[in-house]
Amino acid sequence: MSGTTQPATLYPVPAEFASQARIGSRAAYDELVASAQADYPGYWAKHARDLLTWHKPFTKSLDESQAPFFKWFEDGELNASYNCLDRHVEAGLGDKVAIIFESDDGIVTKVTYKELLGRVSRLANALKTQGVQKGDRVVLYLPMSVDGVIAMQACARIGATHSVVFGGFSAQSLRDRIEDAGAVLVITADEQKRGGKNLPLKAIVDEAIALGGCDSVKQVLVVRRTGGSIPFVEGRDAWLEDVCAKESDVCAPEWVSAEHPLFLLYTSGSTGKPKGVQHSTGGYLLHATLTTQWTFDLRPDDVFWCTADIGWVTGHTYVTYGPLSCGGTQVVFEGVPTYPDAARFWRMIEAHKVSIFYTAPTAIRALIKAAETNADVHPRQFNLTSLRLLGTVGEPINPAAWEWYHREIGAGKCPIVDTFWQTETGGHMITPLPGAHALTPGSCTLPFPGIDAAVVDETGKEVPWGQGGVLVVRKPWPSMIRTIWNDPERFKKSYYPADYNGKYYLAGDGAIRDAETGYFTITGRIDDVLNVSGHRMGTMEIESALVSHPLVAEAAVVGRPDDLTGEAICAFVVLKRSRPTGDEAKQLATVLRNHVGTEIGPIAKPKDIRFGDNLPKTRSGKIMRRLLRVIAKGDAVTQDTSTLENPAILDQLAQSN
Ligand code: PRX
């Protein structure tokens, strides 16, 4: 992102959109912001009462007594699955389609709210029969599927805490998460289908458990997806359909405190192993519901499609919880945007008459590239007139991709909501409300009403508009991370460090506000976290994976800009033997890339691996990552290198590409 302070092009709110939108003007937005300022706990309490169905009403909105471990609506009781399913069926919407599922191979299945409730209840009963209790953790390692949504909802129904692990993570990563969460049960599938290929899942669960440390796991339930033959461990493994067949399709929801942990989701930080971000039930569900209504302006007759996998937070909030809590109809897609060809998204929008479409900038960039070289997959070949709103998430969107998305997909008439948020924030933090905000390509515009985001300097003082700084949130909000599972100290250190004032939530991103409009632009992470294709990864994790290979003495990982994936992973490696060159270097790079794939997962494989005799270090032995970033980008090093122990290494690394 440019971080420019020049007023960029503003796209006014289309009058037709504004006239029907829930928040239909800038004045309406300003009013909401003012009402949140006037009575902050009261503002959230009002929405929590209006939008959620409580079994027992709460008496207190925000409890700050143990800050930064904030609590919201704590003495209130509710159930997330009841809010997503039962209340719609009770309101007469049982026959409404909740999910339009399209498989990788193009088979479409529709599931109504009534059917979904029955299937969730059966699985919830099955989990209880297996001995899963309120508060137990259940790990889900599943394809993008109706079963995935059902498994999450079934856990919520009985008060078990789910932890979904993305199906692209390796056995080692899965093992680490199972162990840290202390999961009692794992739900997986025999295989998953992606891009025409069958990929193993159950086999990876077996491998993960065999690695050790997973003694807490008593049961593995397996969804039959491809029907491939897979070995079962006697007494531990069972087909999910078999155990569900024995159960009733009625299951009373377990009422839990609003603070009860709904889920853990592991995400990367700048240090150490991935952290288990713990979310609450009430505050989280409130924000999932409210943002679905205001940011996406979801209506009863909309067809909503969020393309994110349930393995990421976007798939939690805007597939499993937000749209269902609002009683919406949504598309769930098993496959990938480029199979059978790069028109898959456009064909599906046409076929299912999608009206709200939410995806990642990386996907848009890849599809632009495909459309530019092959007219058959150009969106203009398809009827996309059902669309009324577009959205992006996960990484900055470059203005050129924004303009294309707006023009070619949205026919110049659909607003684009560029939603900034994080695994830790639970839902949108800075985002346009499409009926209220004129848009600037590349800017996520203004904070969601009630979110007190600011750009500050190291002391926590707000910087003037037009000046870059660090993004913080000054007040707690209902859907915020509650803690890091098993590690409250790390929670405090990571998000409420003593610098930046100690009382503000530190997002880990830099930001700048436009000098005229005050609109926010996210300038990227300020820590050692990379964002590759919208997937978040810690450089330390990748470094640890590299040095766990017997040939590697030392490794440093940095990001470099990439036109397609936003950022690309670049690793500098010192071997325990002499530095390889030519073909040997290429072969070894492949070996190490695959090793990282085995340790973490294919998404973490470095794009570049460069070998050196050593790494640029200060005299005190600190690796100079700043210089490695310059080299990775292909730029000449112009910085002062006099503090380096070994300046000559820079030339070697620069030439080692
Ligand atoms: O750097 C920001 C970037 O993604 C990070 C959060 O990643 P994760 O927890 O995996 O959640 C992604 C989906 C919510 C942020 O710290 N990011 C997310 N959305 C945007 C963004 N960067 C710029 N613009 C966005 N809209």
Side-chain angles (χ1 to χ4, degrees), residues 132-170:
V132 179
Q133 293 179 357
K134 178 179 168 185
D136 283 347
R137 275 80 53 214
V138 174
V139 161
L140 312 181
Y141 189 62
L142 284 165
M144 197 48 197
S145 53
V146 178
D147 292 294
V149 175
I150 289 174
M152 293 163 83
Q153 290 280 349
C155 290
R157 194 159 191 89
I158 63 167
T161 300
H162 59 70
S163 185
V164 185
V165 179
F166 174 61
F169 278 118
S170 67

mmCIF file of all heavy atoms in Angstrom, residues 132-170:
data_model
loop_
_atom_site.group_PDB
_atom_site.id
_atom_site.type_symbol
_atom_site.label_atom_id
_atom_site.label_comp_id
_atom_site.label_asym_id
_atom_site.label_seq_id
_atom_site.Cartn_x
_atom_site.Cartn_y
_atom_site.Cartn_z
ATOM 1 N N VAL A 132 -18.647 -36.570 25.237
ATOM 2 C CA VAL A 132 -18.166 -35.182 25.178
ATOM 3 C C VAL A 132 -19.051 -34.316 26.077
ATOM 4 O O VAL A 132 -20.278 -34.398 26.020
ATOM 5 C CB VAL A 132 -18.214 -34.628 23.729
ATOM 6 C CG1 VAL A 132 -17.727 -33.184 23.699
ATOM 7 C CG2 VAL A 132 -17.374 -35.496 22.806
ATOM 8 N N GLN A 133 -18.408 -33.520 26.907
ATOM 9 C CA GLN A 133 -19.146 -32.700 27.865
ATOM 10 C C GLN A 133 -18.921 -31.219 27.628
ATOM 11 O O GLN A 133 -17.964 -30.832 26.943
ATOM 12 C CB GLN A 133 -18.683 -33.045 29.281
ATOM 13 C CG GLN A 133 -19.090 -34.454 29.635
ATOM 14 C CD GLN A 133 -18.635 -34.837 31.017
ATOM 15 O OE1 GLN A 133 -17.967 -34.067 31.703
ATOM 16 N NE2 GLN A 133 -18.995 -36.037 31.436
ATOM 17 N N LYS A 134 -19.791 -30.449 28.227
ATOM 18 C CA LYS A 134 -19.658 -28.992 28.169
ATOM 19 C C LYS A 134 -18.232 -28.590 28.560
ATOM 20 O O LYS A 134 -17.721 -29.074 29.578
ATOM 21 C CB LYS A 134 -20.674 -28.382 29.134
ATOM 22 C CG LYS A 134 -20.618 -26.888 29.229
ATOM 23 C CD LYS A 134 -21.684 -26.397 30.188
ATOM 24 C CE LYS A 134 -21.462 -24.946 30.525
ATOM 25 N NZ LYS A 134 -22.389 -24.469 31.543
ATOM 26 N N GLY A 135 -17.619 -27.731 27.760
ATOM 27 C CA GLY A 135 -16.276 -27.260 28.082
ATOM 28 C C GLY A 135 -15.167 -28.117 27.484
ATOM 29 O O GLY A 135 -14.018 -27.675 27.393
ATOM 30 N N ASP A 136 -15.483 -29.347 27.044
ATOM 31 C CA ASP A 136 -14.465 -30.175 26.380
ATOM 32 C C ASP A 136 -14.105 -29.544 25.036
ATOM 33 O O ASP A 136 -14.939 -28.912 24.401
ATOM 34 C CB ASP A 136 -15.013 -31.587 26.105
ATOM 35 C CG ASP A 136 -15.042 -32.456 27.355
ATOM 36 O OD1 ASP A 136 -14.414 -32.060 28.358
ATOM 37 O OD2 ASP A 136 -15.692 -33.523 27.315
ATOM 38 N N ARG A 137 -12.872 -29.794 24.596
ATOM 39 C CA ARG A 137 -12.475 -29.301 23.286
ATOM 40 C C ARG A 137 -12.580 -30.407 22.235
ATOM 41 O O ARG A 137 -12.208 -31.562 22.497
ATOM 42 C CB ARG A 137 -11.039 -28.749 23.287
ATOM 43 C CG ARG A 137 -10.964 -27.302 23.728
ATOM 44 C CD ARG A 137 -11.015 -27.148 25.210
ATOM 45 N NE ARG A 137 -10.014 -27.955 25.856
ATOM 46 C CZ ARG A 137 -10.152 -28.537 27.036
ATOM 47 N NH1 ARG A 137 -11.266 -28.386 27.727
ATOM 48 N NH2 ARG A 137 -9.193 -29.281 27.561
ATOM 49 N N VAL A 138 -13.094 -30.022 21.083
ATOM 50 C CA VAL A 138 -13.233 -30.958 19.965
ATOM 51 C C VAL A 138 -12.495 -30.347 18.777
ATOM 52 O O VAL A 138 -12.758 -29.204 18.407
ATOM 53 C CB VAL A 138 -14.725 -31.164 19.613
ATOM 54 C CG1 VAL A 138 -14.880 -32.018 18.364
ATOM 55 C CG2 VAL A 138 -15.467 -31.794 20.798
ATOM 56 N N VAL A 139 -11.548 -31.103 18.212
ATOM 57 C CA VAL A 139 -10.813 -30.596 17.051
ATOM 58 C C VAL A 139 -11.500 -31.064 15.774
ATOM 59 O O VAL A 139 -11.888 -32.229 15.655
ATOM 60 C CB VAL A 139 -9.332 -31.040 17.093
ATOM 61 C CG1 VAL A 139 -8.682 -30.940 15.713
ATOM 62 C CG2 VAL A 139 -8.553 -30.168 18.078
ATOM 63 N N LEU A 140 -11.679 -30.145 14.843
ATOM 64 C CA LEU A 140 -12.298 -30.476 13.558
ATOM 65 C C LEU A 140 -11.243 -30.315 12.471
ATOM 66 O O LEU A 140 -10.606 -29.268 12.368
ATOM 67 C CB LEU A 140 -13.485 -29.549 13.276
ATOM 68 C CG LEU A 140 -14.504 -29.343 14.408
ATOM 69 C CD1 LEU A 140 -15.628 -28.428 13.959
ATOM 70 C CD2 LEU A 140 -15.074 -30.679 14.866
ATOM 71 N N TYR A 141 -11.078 -31.368 11.684
ATOM 72 C CA TYR A 141 -10.098 -31.343 10.585
ATOM 73 C C TYR A 141 -10.872 -31.824 9.364
ATOM 74 O O TYR A 141 -10.902 -33.014 9.051
ATOM 75 C CB TYR A 141 -8.951 -32.286 10.952
ATOM 76 C CG TYR A 141 -7.745 -32.231 10.053
ATOM 77 C CD1 TYR A 141 -6.984 -31.066 9.923
ATOM 78 C CD2 TYR A 141 -7.321 -33.360 9.350
ATOM 79 C CE1 TYR A 141 -5.855 -31.033 9.123
ATOM 80 C CE2 TYR A 141 -6.186 -33.336 8.554
ATOM 81 C CZ TYR A 141 -5.470 -32.166 8.446
ATOM 82 O OH TYR A 141 -4.334 -32.131 7.657
ATOM 83 N N LEU A 142 -11.566 -30.887 8.746
ATOM 84 C CA LEU A 142 -12.608 -31.228 7.782
ATOM 85 C C LEU A 142 -12.495 -30.405 6.509
ATOM 86 O O LEU A 142 -11.959 -29.298 6.516
ATOM 87 C CB LEU A 142 -13.976 -30.925 8.421
ATOM 88 C CG LEU A 142 -14.482 -31.926 9.458
ATOM 89 C CD1 LEU A 142 -15.633 -31.334 10.249
ATOM 90 C CD2 LEU A 142 -14.922 -33.220 8.766
ATOM 91 N N PRO A 143 -13.063 -30.932 5.430
ATOM 92 C CA PRO A 143 -13.128 -30.113 4.213
ATOM 93 C C PRO A 143 -14.173 -29.012 4.374
ATOM 94 O O PRO A 143 -14.989 -29.040 5.305
ATOM 95 C CB PRO A 143 -13.589 -31.096 3.131
ATOM 96 C CG PRO A 143 -13.955 -32.353 3.787
ATOM 97 C CD PRO A 143 -13.665 -32.257 5.252
ATOM 98 N N MET A 144 -14.161 -28.074 3.448
ATOM 99 C CA MET A 144 -15.200 -27.058 3.389
ATOM 100 C C MET A 144 -16.483 -27.795 3.006
ATOM 101 O O MET A 144 -16.581 -28.342 1.909
ATOM 102 C CB MET A 144 -14.773 -26.073 2.299
ATOM 103 C CG MET A 144 -15.453 -24.769 2.313
ATOM 104 S SD MET A 144 -15.488 -24.042 3.938
ATOM 105 C CE MET A 144 -16.766 -22.843 3.667
ATOM 106 N N SER A 145 -17.432 -27.853 3.918
ATOM 107 C CA SER A 145 -18.565 -28.744 3.699
ATOM 108 C C SER A 145 -19.724 -28.383 4.615
ATOM 109 O O SER A 145 -19.543 -27.681 5.613
ATOM 110 C CB SER A 145 -18.139 -30.183 4.026
ATOM 111 O OG SER A 145 -17.582 -30.226 5.343
ATOM 112 N N VAL A 146 -20.895 -28.903 4.295
ATOM 113 C CA VAL A 146 -22.037 -28.757 5.193
ATOM 114 C C VAL A 146 -21.694 -29.459 6.509
ATOM 115 O O VAL A 146 -22.011 -28.964 7.591
ATOM 116 C CB VAL A 146 -23.315 -29.351 4.551
ATOM 117 C CG1 VAL A 146 -24.496 -29.248 5.522
ATOM 118 C CG2 VAL A 146 -23.642 -28.634 3.249
ATOM 119 N N ASP A 147 -21.020 -30.613 6.401
ATOM 120 C CA ASP A 147 -20.650 -31.333 7.626
ATOM 121 C C ASP A 147 -19.760 -30.484 8.528
ATOM 122 O O ASP A 147 -19.828 -30.593 9.751
ATOM 123 C CB ASP A 147 -19.924 -32.638 7.274
ATOM 124 C CG ASP A 147 -20.868 -33.621 6.620
ATOM 125 O OD1 ASP A 147 -21.798 -34.083 7.295
ATOM 126 O OD2 ASP A 147 -20.693 -33.896 5.420
ATOM 127 N N GLY A 148 -18.912 -29.663 7.937
ATOM 128 C CA GLY A 148 -18.045 -28.795 8.729
ATOM 129 C C GLY A 148 -18.874 -27.809 9.539
ATOM 130 O O GLY A 148 -18.656 -27.620 10.746
ATOM 131 N N VAL A 149 -19.845 -27.186 8.870
ATOM 132 C CA VAL A 149 -20.717 -26.222 9.564
ATOM 133 C C VAL A 149 -21.505 -26.959 10.649
ATOM 134 O O VAL A 149 -21.636 -26.477 11.781
ATOM 135 C CB VAL A 149 -21.668 -25.542 8.551
ATOM 136 C CG1 VAL A 149 -22.657 -24.635 9.270
ATOM 137 C CG2 VAL A 149 -20.872 -24.764 7.510
ATOM 138 N N ILE A 150 -22.005 -28.146 10.299
ATOM 139 C CA ILE A 150 -22.793 -28.923 11.259
ATOM 140 C C ILE A 150 -21.941 -29.291 12.481
ATOM 141 O O ILE A 150 -22.397 -29.180 13.628
ATOM 142 C CB ILE A 150 -23.356 -30.200 10.585
ATOM 143 C CG1 ILE A 150 -24.457 -29.799 9.597
ATOM 144 C CG2 ILE A 150 -23.869 -31.208 11.613
ATOM 145 C CD1 ILE A 150 -25.008 -30.930 8.761
ATOM 146 N N ALA A 151 -20.708 -29.691 12.245
ATOM 147 C CA ALA A 151 -19.844 -30.100 13.361
ATOM 148 C C ALA A 151 -19.597 -28.924 14.305
ATOM 149 O O ALA A 151 -19.635 -29.079 15.535
ATOM 150 C CB ALA A 151 -18.529 -30.653 12.823
ATOM 151 N N MET A 152 -19.369 -27.750 13.748
ATOM 152 C CA MET A 152 -19.142 -26.568 14.594
ATOM 153 C C MET A 152 -20.406 -26.254 15.400
ATOM 154 O O MET A 152 -20.366 -26.021 16.615
ATOM 155 C CB MET A 152 -18.745 -25.357 13.728
ATOM 156 C CG MET A 152 -17.383 -25.526 13.061
ATOM 157 S SD MET A 152 -17.128 -24.371 11.689
ATOM 158 C CE MET A 152 -16.579 -22.906 12.572
ATOM 159 N N GLN A 153 -21.537 -26.270 14.706
ATOM 160 C CA GLN A 153 -22.805 -25.961 15.381
ATOM 161 C C GLN A 153 -23.150 -27.012 16.441
ATOM 162 O O GLN A 153 -23.719 -26.687 17.488
ATOM 163 C CB GLN A 153 -23.942 -25.879 14.348
ATOM 164 C CG GLN A 153 -23.858 -24.664 13.430
ATOM 165 C CD GLN A 153 -24.377 -23.386 14.088
ATOM 166 O OE1 GLN A 153 -24.988 -23.423 15.150
ATOM 167 N NE2 GLN A 153 -24.102 -22.249 13.464
ATOM 168 N N ALA A 154 -22.802 -28.275 16.156
ATOM 169 C CA ALA A 154 -23.118 -29.345 17.119
ATOM 170 C C ALA A 154 -22.302 -29.163 18.397
ATOM 171 O O ALA A 154 -22.798 -29.376 19.506
ATOM 172 C CB ALA A 154 -22.848 -30.712 16.494
ATOM 173 N N CYS A 155 -21.043 -28.766 18.242
ATOM 174 C CA CYS A 155 -20.225 -28.482 19.430
ATOM 175 C C CYS A 155 -20.864 -27.353 20.223
ATOM 176 O O CYS A 155 -21.034 -27.438 21.444
ATOM 177 C CB CYS A 155 -18.804 -28.086 19.016
ATOM 178 S SG CYS A 155 -17.841 -29.442 18.351
ATOM 179 N N ALA A 156 -21.215 -26.270 19.506
ATOM 180 C CA ALA A 156 -21.814 -25.112 20.176
ATOM 181 C C ALA A 156 -23.090 -25.525 20.908
ATOM 182 O O ALA A 156 -23.392 -25.028 21.994
ATOM 183 C CB ALA A 156 -22.118 -24.019 19.155
ATOM 184 N N ARG A 157 -23.818 -26.455 20.312
ATOM 185 C CA ARG A 157 -25.108 -26.847 20.890
ATOM 186 C C ARG A 157 -24.949 -27.491 22.264
ATOM 187 O O ARG A 157 -25.780 -27.306 23.147
ATOM 188 C CB ARG A 157 -25.814 -27.830 19.946
ATOM 189 C CG ARG A 157 -27.249 -28.013 20.281
ATOM 190 C CD ARG A 157 -28.036 -28.545 19.109
ATOM 191 N NE ARG A 157 -29.444 -28.462 19.414
ATOM 192 C CZ ARG A 157 -30.217 -27.411 19.161
ATOM 193 N NH1 ARG A 157 -29.707 -26.353 18.576
ATOM 194 N NH2 ARG A 157 -31.485 -27.414 19.499
ATOM 195 N N ILE A 158 -23.860 -28.252 22.438
ATOM 196 C CA ILE A 158 -23.683 -28.933 23.729
ATOM 197 C C ILE A 158 -22.670 -28.208 24.617
ATOM 198 O O ILE A 158 -22.264 -28.719 25.660
ATOM 199 C CB ILE A 158 -23.270 -30.411 23.537
ATOM 200 C CG1 ILE A 158 -21.917 -30.530 22.834
ATOM 201 C CG2 ILE A 158 -24.340 -31.189 22.780
ATOM 202 C CD1 ILE A 158 -21.323 -31.930 22.908
ATOM 203 N N GLY A 159 -22.222 -27.047 24.171
ATOM 204 C CA GLY A 159 -21.282 -26.277 25.000
ATOM 205 C C GLY A 159 -19.854 -26.785 24.929
ATOM 206 O O GLY A 159 -19.019 -26.423 25.764
ATOM 207 N N ALA A 160 -19.562 -27.634 23.919
ATOM 208 C CA ALA A 160 -18.166 -28.044 23.709
ATOM 209 C C ALA A 160 -17.477 -26.939 22.910
ATOM 210 O O ALA A 160 -18.124 -26.230 22.136
ATOM 211 C CB ALA A 160 -18.107 -29.363 22.961
ATOM 212 N N THR A 161 -16.178 -26.787 23.113
ATOM 213 C CA THR A 161 -15.437 -25.714 22.451
ATOM 214 C C THR A 161 -14.752 -26.292 21.218
ATOM 215 O O THR A 161 -13.930 -27.201 21.345
ATOM 216 C CB THR A 161 -14.387 -25.155 23.441
ATOM 217 O OG1 THR A 161 -15.095 -24.650 24.585
ATOM 218 C CG2 THR A 161 -13.560 -24.050 22.825
ATOM 219 N N HIS A 162 -15.111 -25.804 20.032
ATOM 220 C CA HIS A 162 -14.466 -26.388 18.839
ATOM 221 C C HIS A 162 -13.175 -25.674 18.502
ATOM 222 O O HIS A 162 -12.992 -24.493 18.815
ATOM 223 C CB HIS A 162 -15.412 -26.454 17.639
ATOM 224 C CG HIS A 162 -15.987 -25.151 17.164
ATOM 225 N ND1 HIS A 162 -15.236 -24.185 16.544
ATOM 226 C CD2 HIS A 162 -17.267 -24.678 17.199
ATOM 227 C CE1 HIS A 162 -16.026 -23.174 16.207
ATOM 228 N NE2 HIS A 162 -17.259 -23.434 16.610
ATOM 229 N N SER A 163 -12.293 -26.430 17.881
ATOM 230 C CA SER A 163 -11.078 -25.837 17.367
ATOM 231 C C SER A 163 -10.860 -26.418 15.979
ATOM 232 O O SER A 163 -10.506 -27.584 15.819
ATOM 233 C CB SER A 163 -9.895 -26.163 18.283
ATOM 234 O OG SER A 163 -8.766 -25.463 17.813
ATOM 235 N N VAL A 164 -11.156 -25.610 14.973
ATOM 236 C CA VAL A 164 -11.044 -26.095 13.598
ATOM 237 C C VAL A 164 -9.597 -25.927 13.140
ATOM 238 O O VAL A 164 -8.995 -24.871 13.348
ATOM 239 C CB VAL A 164 -11.984 -25.314 12.645
ATOM 240 C CG1 VAL A 164 -11.948 -25.923 11.250
ATOM 241 C CG2 VAL A 164 -13.411 -25.286 13.179
ATOM 242 N N VAL A 165 -9.057 -26.967 12.544
ATOM 243 C CA VAL A 165 -7.711 -26.891 11.977
ATOM 244 C C VAL A 165 -7.868 -26.974 10.468
ATOM 245 O O VAL A 165 -8.478 -27.923 9.954
ATOM 246 C CB VAL A 165 -6.817 -28.028 12.512
ATOM 247 C CG1 VAL A 165 -5.430 -27.955 11.886
ATOM 248 C CG2 VAL A 165 -6.723 -27.956 14.042
ATOM 249 N N PHE A 166 -7.345 -25.994 9.766
ATOM 250 C CA PHE A 166 -7.452 -25.939 8.311
ATOM 251 C C PHE A 166 -6.917 -27.233 7.700
ATOM 252 O O PHE A 166 -5.839 -27.718 8.083
ATOM 253 C CB PHE A 166 -6.674 -24.719 7.803
ATOM 254 C CG PHE A 166 -6.595 -24.619 6.308
ATOM 255 C CD1 PHE A 166 -7.752 -24.510 5.542
ATOM 256 C CD2 PHE A 166 -5.363 -24.630 5.659
ATOM 257 C CE1 PHE A 166 -7.675 -24.417 4.160
ATOM 258 C CE2 PHE A 166 -5.277 -24.527 4.278
ATOM 259 C CZ PHE A 166 -6.448 -24.418 3.524
ATOM 260 N N GLY A 167 -7.654 -27.785 6.738
ATOM 261 C CA GLY A 167 -7.308 -29.069 6.122
ATOM 262 C C GLY A 167 -5.983 -29.066 5.371
ATOM 263 O O GLY A 167 -5.527 -30.125 4.930
ATOM 264 N N GLY A 168 -5.348 -27.912 5.227
ATOM 265 C CA GLY A 168 -4.057 -27.852 4.535
ATOM 266 C C GLY A 168 -2.888 -27.924 5.498
ATOM 267 O O GLY A 168 -1.735 -27.917 5.071
ATOM 268 N N PHE A 169 -3.163 -27.998 6.799
ATOM 269 C CA PHE A 169 -2.056 -28.097 7.753
ATOM 270 C C PHE A 169 -1.564 -29.536 7.852
ATOM 271 O O PHE A 169 -2.332 -30.483 7.667
ATOM 272 C CB PHE A 169 -2.480 -27.584 9.135
ATOM 273 C CG PHE A 169 -2.402 -26.082 9.261
ATOM 274 C CD1 PHE A 169 -3.528 -25.327 9.520
ATOM 275 C CD2 PHE A 169 -1.185 -25.424 9.118
ATOM 276 C CE1 PHE A 169 -3.462 -23.942 9.632
ATOM 277 C CE2 PHE A 169 -1.103 -24.045 9.226
ATOM 278 C CZ PHE A 169 -2.249 -23.304 9.483
ATOM 279 N N SER A 170 -0.292 -29.672 8.169
ATOM 280 C CA SER A 170 0.360 -30.988 8.219
ATOM 281 C C SER A 170 -0.003 -31.732 9.499
ATOM 282 O O SER A 170 -0.581 -31.160 10.434
ATOM 283 C CB SER A 170 1.873 -30.792 8.200
ATOM 284 O OG SER A 170 2.255 -30.167 9.410
#
